[in-house]
């Protein structure tokens, strides 16, 4: 249970940082922010493994997670403009 709470808190912090760093309108709400942070960490992990920055099974760090969340926000903005 503590691990799930930790993931949610770190996801919130990562999502908040990504929203602050990324200019322009961002999705609102605490749940959306947490999801952006968690998905950003997943993007950073798999992207880093694909680029051989991380070993297989190694997770992205905090900074990598923030960068992944920023990439997610930029992609969301690009595809939502249609």
């Amino acid at each position: 249970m503590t691990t799930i709470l930790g993931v949610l808190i770190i996801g919130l912090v990562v999502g908040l940082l990504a929203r602050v760093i990324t200019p322009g309108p961002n999705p609102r709400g605490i749940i959306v922010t947490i999801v952006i942070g968690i998905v950003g960490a997943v993007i950073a992990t798999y992207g880093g493994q694909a680029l051989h920055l991380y070993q297989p099974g190694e997770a992205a760090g905090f900074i990598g997670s923030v960068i992944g969340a920023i990439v997610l926000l930029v992609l969301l903005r690009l595809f939502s403009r249609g």
Side-chain angles (χ1 to χ4, degrees), residues 10-11 14-15 17-18 36-45 54 59-72:
I10 291 176
V14 167
L17 279 173
I36 287 170
I38 292 171
V39 173
V42 171
I43 289 172
T45 296
Y54 301 118
F62 185 79
I63 295 172
S65 298
V66 172
I67 293 170
I70 291 170
V71 168
L72 176 63

Side-chain angles (χ1 to χ4, degrees), residues 11-73:
L12 177 64
V13 172
V14 167
L16 284 172
L17 279 173
R19 282 177 46 184
V20 167
I21 293 171
T22 308
N26 290 314
R28 305 250 184 237
I30 192 166
I31 301 297
V32 175
T33 303
I34 291 172
V35 170
I36 287 170
I38 292 171
V39 173
V42 171
I43 289 172
T45 296
Y46 288 117
Q49 288 175 1
L51 295 172
H52 302 290
L53 299 173
Y54 301 118
Q55 299 297 321
E58 185 180 4
F62 185 79
I63 295 172
S65 298
V66 172
I67 293 170
I70 291 170
V71 168
L72 176 63
L73 285 172

